[in-house]
Amino acid sequence: MKSAELRWKFLDFFKDRGHKIIPSASLIPEGDSSTLFISSGMQPLVPYLLGQKHPEGTRLTDSQKSFRTEDIEEVGDGRHNTFFEMLGNWSLGDYFKKEQLTWIYSFLIDEIKIDASRLYATVFRGEEVIGVPKDSESVDILKQVFKTYGIDAKDVDFPENDGMQDGRIFYYPAKKNWWSKSGTPEKMPIGEIGGPDSEIFYDLGPDLKKHENSEFKGALCHVNCDCGRFIEIGNSVFIEYKKTQQGFEKLEQQNVDFGGGLERMTMVSEGLDNIFETDLFLHIIKKIEGLSGKRYRDDRKSFEVIADHIKSATFIMGDGDGISPNNTGQGYIVRRLVRRAIRFGKKLGITEKKWTKEIATIVTADYKDVYSELEKNITFIGKELKKEEEKFNETLERGLKELNGIKKWWGQIRRSSVNDMGSSGNYSQGTDQKREARELGVKLFYLYQSYGLPIELSLEELGGIIFEDEAIKSFNEELKKHQELSRTASAGMFKGGLADDEPETIKLHTAHHLLLAALQELFGKQVKQKGSNINSERLRIDFSFDRKITAEEIKKLEDMVNEKIHQGLDVVKRELPLEEAQKIGAEMEFGVKYGNMVSVYFIEDKKGNAISKEFCGGPHVKNTSELGTFKIIKEEASSQGVRRIKAILE
Ligand code: SER
């Protein structure tokens, strides 16, 4: 079945069962700065799962755009992708396990004709420490469900070592069968909601031996062992718990959150074992074949990385939030995606200019009927991709020059060691060659680090070397060392939150501080920042406030900010211990974690009175007189209890 048909079948199936179809939320979370992206259908619906009334009622269905950063490196095995569509159905304190499990299997088996005998279920086996019991209720229902399809379903305890044991329903611990935004129960912060879940696995084939990548290595195969035979195609989460100081408490309402990846469902319904062969990727793969002159089967990983990454970048940039490749926040992830794709493009031998943009055009055409925002933003996406491609190509070119130097060095070493061998005739040169290969690995790592040149590419340029595995090994060792460091660095990278350091962006950043101060002066200190995004064209602030702001109030806010600009106030940065900064009441952004020493930006009048003080990494202008005229261009609701203002400087 084609993906478009499947998407509609799913939504219609639940519509027929009393659900309202709701549109996908943006990939960029609104009023929630704790994550960079929406990575599940559940995130935008949290307030309603907690009990707030949803305007469309208690039964909803959707196809939510989702992006998972943690899967970037996983792409390449035929079934991982970073951007995906999550088909979802929701009960907000309405139906529960019985309806959910009956319906979802009926959808898969009766509607999209998946072979029931290939489906397997998992359930939560209970954890005493958190006081949540084994989900026997789901097991009883699932047995009934399978019986309808002529299957006598046996339930089997956690098959850590014993394999399938002819089972159909398997109990697993929280590590596998508990769902919350943050993961397992112990990873959840106080206040977060989640619950036990029941996953649906599809059996791809009879090969039971592939255990290399499994955390259950050595054990017999079972549905959750990641050996490649079974693939998860959907998950019914029974969200009915909230973590509190005292432990897990039942929520007032029992919710259902079902999510299934459209890509995987399409794959299975088309009888394929690779998502990149479905029509959700087909045109992109064809385009890459055209650009590179290679076939997909020649280098599957490179094709998949390019197809996945450019598609994700297109969706993130296409959401209308002005996200572009840069060094912070979401923009940093876009940069990573685009650059990684370009590197793999080089590997495939793509030489054409502006090719990433061409792929984005295909993505846009493929999805225009479902996500019209892509088409609306295609000019922006194309422009940004072109810029990024040019920028990165320059860096790469410099890297290749450097590689030429290494090539010469390597050539000399090789010649001298061949000569050594000739004169001494001894065979210790094997050890020497290994050492040299390791040295080469370190140099190639430097090249990767400074210019983004991947080792595969460098080795190819060098024309193949003896003890290549040694070079790769030492490259990887260096990489590991630096990853530790860069993890710390990237934590810092997200702090500032500026899209770039263009002068316009910096000015808007200072204006952002003045605006927050004005909002608090006008509406009271309880107004808190809930999110922000600044680029060279405009600033955006999300803040807690529960009604529309009137035209007079907008005018008032503009006047207040402009007055501060005219007064020519100094902007001063001070490093303070966290406690002290809190004591003086500096503004913190909700949900952000800070270190022991923090920098606080003060905007002060001539007497040293602070008009604004905020935790902030900067940068800012020196004096507000540099800003020009402040103007609010939009005021709107962002989410429940959160308003959003967009403003510019003229
Ligand atoms: N929230 C669950 C998941 O993301 C099901 O939608 O897997």
Side-chain angles (χ1 to χ4, degrees):
M1 186 179 300
K2 295 275 171 272
S3 59
E5 194 187 338
L6 205 157
R7 197 191 283 112
W8 277 112
K9 276 217 154 135
F10 183 89
L11 298 174
D12 279 344
F13 181 89
F14 284 98
K15 193 172 152 205
D16 290 345
R17 284 156 186 78
H19 294 63
K20 283 276 167 54
I21 302 175
I22 57 165
S24 170
S26 165
L27 277 168
I28 314 301
E30 295 195 349
D32 170 8
S33 49
S34 65
T35 50
L36 287 177
F37 296 102
I38 294 295
S39 61
S40 68
M42 176 254 204
Q43 271 160 272
L45 291 170
V46 168
Y48 310 105
L49 295 162
L50 277 166
Q52 196 178 302
K53 294 256 163 307
H54 192 285
E56 298 287 352
T58 53
R59 295 181 179 199
L60 310 173
T61 182
D62 62 357
S63 177
Q64 172 63 45
K65 295 184 280 187
S66 307
F67 175 81
R68 292 192 175 168
T69 315
E70 65 271 25
D71 285 338
I72 292 181
E73 310 274 338
E74 303 288 322
V75 179
D77 64 357
R79 49 184 173 144
H80 276 91
N81 50 339
T82 56
F83 166 82
F84 63 99
E85 286 175 81
M86 185 82 110
L87 296 176
N89 66 275
W90 307 86
S91 159
L92 304 171
D94 190 320
Y95 58 86
F96 207 43
K97 295 180 181 173
K98 175 98 205 253
E99 292 86 340
Q100 173 55 23
L101 295 170
T102 313
W103 285 341
I104 199 63
Y105 280 87
S106 166
F107 173 73
L108 295 172
I109 300 165
D110 304 324
E111 279 298 310
I112 63 170
K113 311 288 178 224
I114 291 180
D115 178 359
S117 71
R118 285 180 175 253
L119 294 177
Y120 291 83
T122 65
V123 291
F124 182 53
R125 79 160 175 189
E127 300 259 341
E128 250 167 62
V129 273
I130 59 167
V132 178
K134 180 168 172 167
D135 191 1
S136 315
E137 190 189 344
S138 289
V139 174
D140 292 342
I141 300 165
L142 285 164
K143 286 193 167 188
Q144 263 323 104
V145 170
F146 277 111
K147 203 165 169 191
T148 331
Y149 300 101
I151 295 168
D152 184 17
K154 179 177 157 196
D155 54 322
V156 164
D157 198 18
F158 182 30
E160 194 162 12
N161 295 307
D162 307 328
M164 299 290 285
Q165 304 161 73
D166 295 326
R168 179 68 57 175
I169 304 164
F170 300 89
Y171 297 94
Y172 283 93
K175 194 167 76 179
K176 295 285 181 190
N177 278 71
W178 177 275
W179 205 91
S180 80
K181 201 179 86 183
S182 308
T184 50
E186 60 285 1
K187 286 202 190 123
M188 292 166 68
I190 300 296
E192 197 169 288
I193 54 174
D197 64 36
S198 178
E199 297 186 328
I200 304 164
F201 284 84
Y202 180 83
D203 185 356
L204 281 169
D207 187 1
L208 276 165
K209 291 190 201 88
K210 291 189 224 152
H211 271 284
E212 319 84 76
N213 299 324
S214 170
E215 62 180 285
F216 302 105
K217 209 169 168 166
L220 284 173
C221 196
H222 56 98
V223 290
N224 240 326
C225 72
D226 288 337
C227 71
R229 170 170 166 173
F230 298 95
I231 183 168
E232 185 207 329
I233 56 169
N235 188 12
S236 303
V237 189
F238 304 113
I239 300 185
E240 57 165 342
Y241 290 97
K242 180 178 182 167
K243 188 162 175 176
T244 69
Q245 292 287 3
Q246 288 75 41
F248 281 87
E249 265 173 23
K250 283 232 173 163
L251 293 169
E252 266 166 41
Q253 64 186 43
Q254 293 180 316
N255 306 291
V256 173
D257 152 16
F258 172 80
L262 174 66
E263 292 74 7
R264 288 183 175 190
M265 279 200 207
T266 306
M267 168 187 115
V268 163
S269 90
E270 284 191 17
L272 300 167
D273 61 2
N274 182 320
I275 55 172
F276 292 88
E277 286 171 10
T278 66
D279 66 338
L280 290 160
F281 284 98
L282 208 64
H283 295 133
I284 311 177
I285 296 285
K286 284 243 148 64
K287 179 77 195 175
I288 304 172
E289 286 187 333
L291 286 164
S292 66
K294 298 226 166 66
R295 305 302 304 270
Y296 173 35
R297 62 167 179 271
D298 295 337
D299 184 350
R300 285 181 171 263
K301 177 165 179 181
S302 298
F303 271 82
E304 290 174 16
V305 168
I306 295 170
D308 172 82
H309 287 12
I310 300 296
K311 186 185 201 174
S312 293
T314 305
F315 268 95
I316 297 168
M317 290 192 283
D319 247 342
D321 292 86
I323 307 289
S324 54
N326 58 52
N327 282 334
T328 53
Q330 289 100 351
Y332 174 67
I333 303 295
V334 176
R335 168 158 287 168
R336 241 175 97 188
L337 290 167
V338 175
R339 293 193 168 196
R340 196 152 184 266
I342 294 175
R343 279 170 16 205
F344 279 88
K346 285 255 172 331
K347 193 163 166 255
L348 283 184
I350 300 178
T351 50
E352 197 165 318
K353 296 255 163 342
K354 295 186 275 189
W355 63 271
T356 52
K357 183 179 156 189
E358 288 181 35
I359 294 182
T361 309
I362 297 209
V363 175
T364 304
D366 272 356
Y367 283 91
K368 69 174 188 310
D369 294 337
V370 196
Y371 302 110
S372 58
E373 61 272 23
L374 294 183
E375 211 169 30
K376 238 185 266 159
N377 294 307
I378 185 64
T379 315
F380 170 77
I381 300 169
K383 206 174 77 194
E384 293 299 325
L385 281 174
K386 178 172 165 275
K387 254 199 321 210
E388 186 64 9
E389 207 180 304
E390 284 165 359
K391 233 188 232 170
F392 187 49
N393 276 334
E394 263 170 43
T395 321
L396 266 180
E397 232 157 78
R398 278 186 276 139
L400 287 171
K401 269 205 195 109
E402 195 97 353
L403 180 63
N404 259 333
I406 296 180
K407 213 169 170 174
K408 278 195 197 121
W409 165 81
W410 184 248
Q412 274 162 10
I413 290 206
R414 299 282 16 101
R415 270 195 298 281
S416 65
S417 81
V418 169
N419 288 343
D420 283 353
M421 185 176 78
S423 58
S424 70
N426 76 44
Y427 281 86
S428 71
Q429 83 274 7
T431 342
D432 285 349
Q433 287 184 0
K434 268 192 195 167
R435 188 177 39 76
E436 287 156 8
R438 296 184 65 79
E439 207 175 314
L440 176 68
V442 175
K443 282 188 193 287
L444 296 185
F445 174 75
Y446 160 75
L447 219 55
Y448 166 74
Q449 177 84 344
S450 321
Y451 303 103
L453 224 59
I455 183 157
E456 299 89 350
L457 221 155
S458 302
L459 287 171
E460 228 171 81
E461 285 288 316
L462 287 168
I465 61 160
I466 326 172
F467 293 119
E468 193 171 287
D469 51 339
E470 288 296 323
I472 295 174
K473 218 154 93 197
S474 80
F475 176 96
N476 284 333
E477 281 163 18
E478 289 300 305
L479 182 67
K480 231 188 219 136
K481 267 189 240 162
H482 284 77
Q483 269 168 349
E484 294 309 315
L485 295 173
S486 76
R487 216 161 277 153
T488 336
S490 74
M493 206 170 307
F494 297 144
K495 248 182 244 158
L498 284 203
D500 53 54
D501 53 4
E502 309 267 325
E504 289 312 314
T505 312
I506 296 175
K507 283 185 199 166
L508 280 160
H509 189 195
T510 307
H512 190 283
H513 282 214
L514 288 174
L515 174 58
L516 178 62
L519 283 165
Q520 292 181 333
E521 197 182 325
L522 189 61
F523 299 126
K525 265 299 214 183
Q526 74 282 1
V527 171
K528 291 285 169 212
Q529 178 175 322
K530 291 288 188 187
S532 83
N533 177 268
I534 305 168
N535 61 31
S536 60
E537 269 135 41
R538 53 111 190 96
L539 69 84
R540 193 191 85 199
I541 180 168
D542 296 340
F543 55 97
S544 53
F545 198 62
D546 55 12
R547 65 164 170 83
K548 188 157 182 56
I549 297 177
T550 66
E552 291 90 76
E553 286 166 339
I554 299 252
K555 176 80 182 35
K556 190 92 203 280
L557 287 166
E558 285 175 345
D559 289 348
M560 288 163 83
V561 172
N562 281 321
E563 194 193 310
K564 302 290 179 313
I565 294 176
H566 292 146
Q567 286 172 357
L569 306 174
D570 286 331
V571 185
V572 197
K573 174 182 176 170
R574 299 196 179 97
E575 303 285 342
L576 300 172
L578 177 63
E579 263 173 45
E580 194 174 323
Q582 283 167 327
K583 220 182 282 163
I584 60 163
E587 280 309 311
M588 300 169 74
E589 191 178 342
F590 175 78
V592 178
K593 292 197 178 56
Y594 296 94
N596 288 336
M597 281 300 283
V598 293
S599 64
V600 177
Y601 271 87
F602 294 81
I603 303 181
E604 299 175 333
D605 65 16
K606 300 284 174 267
K607 288 191 223 113
N609 297 322
I611 309 301
S612 149
K613 37 187 186 228
E614 281 193 41
F615 282 64
C616 179
H620 283 278
V621 299
K622 293 236 156 356
N623 188 286
T624 59
S625 59
E626 295 165 44
L627 299 187
T629 307
F630 174 80
K631 195 167 174 330
I632 292 176
I633 52 168
K634 195 160 191 169
E635 191 277 334
E636 62 191 345
S638 162
S639 60
Q640 184 68 29
V642 178
R643 305 295 300 181
R644 166 171 291 186
I645 283 181
K646 289 185 180 162
I648 56 171
L649 287 168
E650 289 178 330

